[in-house]
Amino acid sequence: MRQAQKRRSGGKHRPWPLSQRPGYLIRRLHQIHVALFQDACGEFEVTPLQYSLLSALAVRETADQTTLAADIALDRTTTTGALKRLAARNLVERAVNKDDRRARLCRLTPAGAALLVKIEGAARRAHRATLGDLSEREQALFIEMMQRIVAGNPSRDSSAALFD
């Protein structure tokens, strides 16, 4: 089979333009979203990852770091670092779990809950701006397609859907 493919292409490597590669486009879209998020939410000094953690805690109220890592589909080490930074700003409380001294239970502080309320409108604007060049119908379809890709690859991350 490979020999037949080589003969058809003359044995030459045909480049695959970056602009046609899903992985490249997804990475660029992420970069664009992070920049739009910073533009909209920079005054709050919260990253998109930290915003996701604050949002997950608002839904769960109290959760251990492993559960939060799964909720936002991130590794525990990165999640723990982000939670430590949020705790240093008094936005999240991290207490040792009395039932499992190795685990930390997290929850929003009143300051964290207040920040989440303040940032919500700006964060939503950033998300809308990310898809701003698409019609409403295209936006809904794009979100649906991304959800299908994520749902079709459950073993590719450690998350369980929290925001269904």
Side-chain angles (χ1 to χ4, degrees):
M1 173 112 162
R2 286 183 187 218
Q3 293 299 326
Q5 287 174 336
K6 278 186 179 181
R7 280 192 297 266
R8 279 191 297 249
S9 67
K12 296 179 183 174
H13 170 74
R14 291 190 336 198
W16 186 12
L18 288 174
S19 64
Q20 295 176 8
R21 298 180 192 181
Y24 168 79
L25 293 169
I26 291 165
R27 183 178 59 77
R28 281 294 296 129
L29 186 57
H30 179 260
Q31 289 172 330
I32 290 164
H33 174 69
V34 169
L36 290 167
F37 188 92
Q38 272 311 114
D39 289 347
C41 303
E43 69 183 278
F44 302 105
E45 298 179 2
V46 171
T47 67
L49 166 65
Q50 291 170 339
Y51 171 66
S52 293
L53 283 168
L54 294 172
S55 298
L57 277 171
V59 170
R60 289 212 181 259
E61 295 183 8
T62 301
D64 63 83
Q65 294 175 163
T66 301
T67 299
L68 289 170
D71 284 348
I72 64 168
L74 203 60
D75 65 276
R76 287 183 303 181
T77 302
T78 303
T79 301
T80 299
L83 287 166
K84 285 179 178 180
R85 287 185 288 284
L86 290 169
R89 292 181 55 196
N90 192 37
L91 300 174
V92 168
E93 190 175 276
R94 296 172 62 242
V96 174
N97 184 343
K98 64 181 175 155
D99 297 328
D100 181 356
R101 308 261 324 140
R102 297 168 297 166
R104 297 268 182 163
L105 291 177
C106 302
R107 68 178 193 178
L108 289 178
T109 63
L115 177 66
L116 192 55
V117 169
K118 287 180 194 172
I119 196 174
E120 192 66 30
R124 285 178 185 251
R125 280 191 301 280
H127 283 273
R128 281 194 302 273
T130 300
L131 302 179
D133 290 333
L134 303 176
S135 70
E136 284 186 34
R137 187 179 139 278
E138 289 170 327
Q139 289 179 25
L141 183 59
F142 187 63
I143 295 289
E144 181 185 327
M145 289 188 293
M146 288 189 296
Q147 289 170 333
R148 279 180 31 209
I149 292 168
V150 170
N153 290 279
S155 65
R156 300 292 181 206
D157 66 40
S158 60
S159 71
L162 171 66
F163 299 106
D164 285 347

